[in-house]
Amino acid sequence: MLCVLCQLFYVGKVPHVPRPLSLHLVAQTSLIVQNVSVIICGIILMVVFLYKEELLSMYQGWLLTICYILVITIANIANLASTAMAITIQRDWIVVVAGSDRSNLADMNATVRRIDQLTNILAPMAVGQIMTFGSAVIGCGFIAGWNLVSMFVEYLLLWKVYQKTPALAMKLGEKEDNQELKNLNIKVIDAEKPTEDLHLMGENAVGTVELPKDPSCSEKIAEPFRTFRDGWVAYYNQSVFWAGMGLAFLYMTVLGFDCITTGYAYAQGLSGSVLSILMGASAISGIMGTVAFTWLRRRCGLIRTGFISGLAQLISLVLCVVSVFMPGSPLDLTVSPFQDIGTHLIQGDTPPTISPVGGLQEFFTTNAQNLLSNSSSIINDHDVSPPLISISLLFAGVIAARVGLWSFDLTVTQLIQENVIESERGIINGVQNSMNYLLDLLHFIMVILGPNPEAFGLLVLLSVSFVAMGHMMYFRYAYQNLQKQLFSCSSSDQKAEGSDQQQGVTSVI
């Protein structure tokens, strides 16, 4: 949650770098900061694993605590740098490289997303095997060494892309010139007036230059807040505002393979091996979503692709809703979801640990005695297995919904790329990411308010509700642009949609 908070307030300022720094330099700097931070984290964790007992005995354990704080802080820096590079490369560079070919842009977006999904499959498998047959120290060393090597490879690839795409350098140069002219506040006056305060700028025009005043201390303090405000105002004024809001609402969900859902799966008796297989199936489903995106876009157009993807996701999530009321679900409306908040926050009891293997473990609670007396769905008998109907339907719905989710995500991403003018593209994408993290933060808060297993079913219903609201927002955007043509899918309508969007972008630019 700390990482989400950092990204919420930082990402909106990513595009507002000093103009002497080109986006090429931003990408390079972010790449170096990200990889170096991961390397430092790996080294610190290796020291912790090797000398944990010694560190625990020194300074009453404070030295070990400082190591953990350093790891968390540096990991947040690495995550922020990764986000900055993703905005620069995946939201700005890719548009320039694709040029005016929208089909090429869609294919490139889908390819980048497939690479992400493949790495989500291969990276955990590789590191898991190394830590299983080796040790945690070897795993941390492998991660640090991999980032050291990949940093030079990624840097070389970025440099080659920049060199092979002259439009990147030309575009950045033009933006810097325009910004400099605005800051200098050049005033064109008549050439026949006295030349005492004039500077020659050509044969027919001269100008005076007013140097900008140095900002005061209060202006320097208020500048980040003005930047933050201006970014959100610009985001609200975009034509794709409702589409972006619809995507952000999809982040307020527990129906994903994060720590919350995996913890619930362990509490329901799933082993780590089964859960890893489900994660792999989810990644494969996401890759299928990128394929579906490119196919639907060619057949039905970009806006209709988002509408169809949303329907597919909602239909898949019906399985998750049904799972809440099936045998094996820990939903118990007689147990208050807030019963453990006071114990957790005031008394400070530590929650029980989770084991990925073996019998069922108490999770999302801070008092094992309350869990045993109040819960009718969690069983500690190792010989008795709960019904798997509920958990099976839950993960079936989550995995199936990935197809529509990633197709919808690619749709909104390309809508922002196509409909936001180049000078505001970085700002809008930064604010969009901040909005995503804001809703992601909200889902963490909801879990804190209802941490016990009996409340997980309510969180599932709430998540599906937010997903439905997000697609309703997108439907508003789609209907405003296509009206009744939204429900038809013919080649003629697709051409009309493409021409309308092209005219809108041309008029804005």
Side-chain angles (χ1 to χ4, degrees):
M1 193 172 73
L2 176 62
C3 181
V4 172
L5 278 172
C6 293
Q7 299 214 28
L8 172 63
F9 294 102
Y10 168 80
V11 168
K13 303 182 183 66
V14 169
H16 299 278
V17 294
R19 291 315 305 168
L21 296 176
S22 67
L23 289 180
H24 176 55
L25 186 57
V26 172
Q28 291 178 333
T29 305
S30 302
L31 173 65
I32 295 173
V33 171
Q34 176 194 359
N35 286 275
V36 171
S37 300
V38 174
I39 294 172
I40 295 175
C41 285
I43 295 174
I44 295 176
L45 287 176
M46 289 175 65
V47 173
V48 169
F49 287 130
L50 288 173
Y51 306 102
K52 186 174 183 179
E53 296 298 332
E54 290 82 352
L55 293 173
L56 192 59
S57 61
M58 298 173 63
Y59 302 102
Q60 298 180 348
W62 280 104
L63 189 57
L64 181 62
T65 303
I66 292 175
C67 290
Y68 288 143
I69 294 175
L70 284 175
V71 169
I72 295 174
T73 304
I74 298 174
N76 277 326
I77 295 175
N79 205 350
L80 294 174
S82 176
T83 303
M85 195 174 86
I87 292 176
T88 304
I89 303 299
Q90 299 181 19
R91 301 295 188 268
D92 196 347
W93 276 33
I94 194 172
V95 181
V96 180
V97 172
S100 59
D101 190 345
R102 295 188 174 189
S103 296
N104 190 22
L105 177 60
D107 293 337
M108 293 179 67
N109 284 327
T111 301
V112 170
R113 197 57 51 87
R114 289 176 196 138
I115 295 173
D116 290 339
Q117 294 298 316
L118 286 175
T119 53
N120 289 336
I121 298 175
L122 299 178
M125 291 175 58
V127 176
Q129 294 299 318
I130 292 173
M131 290 188 173
T132 299
F133 296 100
S135 64
V137 177
I138 297 177
C140 293
F142 172 78
I143 294 174
W146 179 270
N147 278 269
L148 179 62
V149 174
S150 64
M151 177 173 61
F152 294 101
V153 176
E154 292 179 58
Y155 189 91
L156 178 62
L157 293 176
L158 285 178
W159 179 253
K160 285 190 174 182
V161 171
Y162 186 78
Q163 292 295 323
K164 291 183 178 181
T165 312
L168 287 172
M170 293 174 57
K171 183 170 74 76
L172 295 174
E174 292 173 359
K175 288 198 301 184
E176 291 178 359
D177 293 339
N178 293 336
Q179 186 66 24
E180 290 176 358
L181 289 175
K182 292 180 180 178
N183 292 335
L184 290 177
N185 192 20
I186 297 177
K187 297 181 179 179
V188 179
I189 62 174
D190 188 7
E192 296 181 356
K193 290 186 178 181
T195 60
E196 184 177 1
D197 295 326
L198 303 181
H199 301 279
L200 293 177
M201 298 181 64
E203 297 181 357
N204 298 325
V206 293
T208 60
V209 177
E210 294 183 1
L211 297 177
K213 297 181 180 179
D214 294 333
S216 62
C217 181
S218 60
E219 291 177 342
K220 291 181 179 179
I221 296 176
E223 193 270 337
F225 297 97
R226 288 197 301 268
T227 299
F228 185 80
R229 179 203 62 191
D230 294 343
W232 284 89
V233 171
Y235 176 75
Y236 176 77
N237 292 328
Q238 296 299 316
S239 60
V240 293
F241 168 74
W242 287 111
M245 285 293 294
L247 176 62
F249 265 63
L250 269 58
Y251 280 76
M252 213 311 290
T253 178
V254 296
L255 301 176
F257 285 89
D258 55 3
C259 56
I260 298 168
T261 307
T262 54
Y264 174 76
Y266 286 145
Q268 289 296 101
L270 293 184
S271 64
S273 60
V274 173
L275 195 57
S276 63
I277 294 174
L278 294 176
M279 289 182 180
S282 175
I284 295 174
S285 179
I287 295 175
M288 293 174 59
T290 62
V291 176
F293 164 75
T294 55
W295 184 81
L296 284 173
R297 184 195 169 276
R298 292 191 183 98
R299 294 292 299 271
C300 303
L302 185 60
I303 295 180
R304 293 188 188 88
T305 298
F307 177 66
I308 297 172
S309 301
L311 288 178
Q313 184 184 8
L314 287 175
I315 293 173
S316 300
L317 292 180
V318 172
L319 295 175
C320 299
V321 175
V322 174
S323 71
V324 175
F325 306 99
M326 296 300 291
S329 173
L331 178 66
D332 190 354
L333 298 180
T334 62
V335 178
S336 173
F338 312 108
Q339 67 175 354
D340 294 314
I341 293 180
T343 304
H344 178 63
L345 297 179
I346 299 177
Q347 298 180 9
D349 295 341
T350 57
T353 58
I354 307 169
S355 175
V357 294
L360 299 179
Q361 302 291 331
E362 294 87 359
F363 189 64
F364 294 116
T365 59
T366 58
N367 193 313
Q369 187 63 34
N370 290 339
L371 176 70
L372 293 174
S373 59
N374 293 328
S375 175
S376 60
S377 57
I378 296 186
I379 306 169
N380 285 320
D381 190 353
H382 293 248
D383 298 329
V384 179
S385 299
L388 297 178
I389 299 178
S390 176
I391 194 69
S392 300
L393 288 175
L394 175 68
F395 279 102
V398 170
I399 293 173
R402 291 320 232 202
V403 178
L405 171 64
W406 288 114
S407 179
F408 181 80
D409 180 87
L410 286 171
T411 299
V412 177
T413 297
Q414 185 158 345
L415 284 173
I416 294 176
Q417 292 171 338
E418 292 182 357
N419 292 277
V420 176
I421 60 176
E422 182 274 332
S423 61
E424 294 185 353
R425 192 181 298 135
I427 299 174
I428 301 306
N429 280 292
V431 176
Q432 177 65 53
N433 279 28
S434 296
M435 195 67 199
N436 297 343
Y437 290 125
L438 177 62
L439 271 297
D440 194 24
L441 176 65
L442 180 59
H443 110 269
F444 281 109
I445 295 175
M446 295 304 299
V447 173
I448 293 174
L449 295 178
N452 52 325
E454 291 84 359
F456 190 81
L458 297 178
L459 295 178
V460 170
L461 298 178
L462 188 63
S463 300
V464 176
S465 300
F466 268 82
V467 172
M469 285 189 290
H471 289 302
M472 289 174 63
M473 294 177 184
Y474 182 83
F475 176 79
R476 173 178 178 177
Y477 164 80
Y479 193 79
Q480 285 177 345
N481 284 268
L482 298 182
Q483 300 295 329
K484 294 182 180 180
Q485 294 181 358
L486 176 63
F487 305 102
S488 62
C489 188
S490 61
S491 57
S492 59
D493 293 336
Q494 180 183 350
K495 293 178 181 179
E497 174 189 333
S499 62
D500 292 341
Q501 289 184 359
Q502 183 66 37
Q503 290 177 1
V505 176
T506 304
S507 63
V508 173
I509 296 176

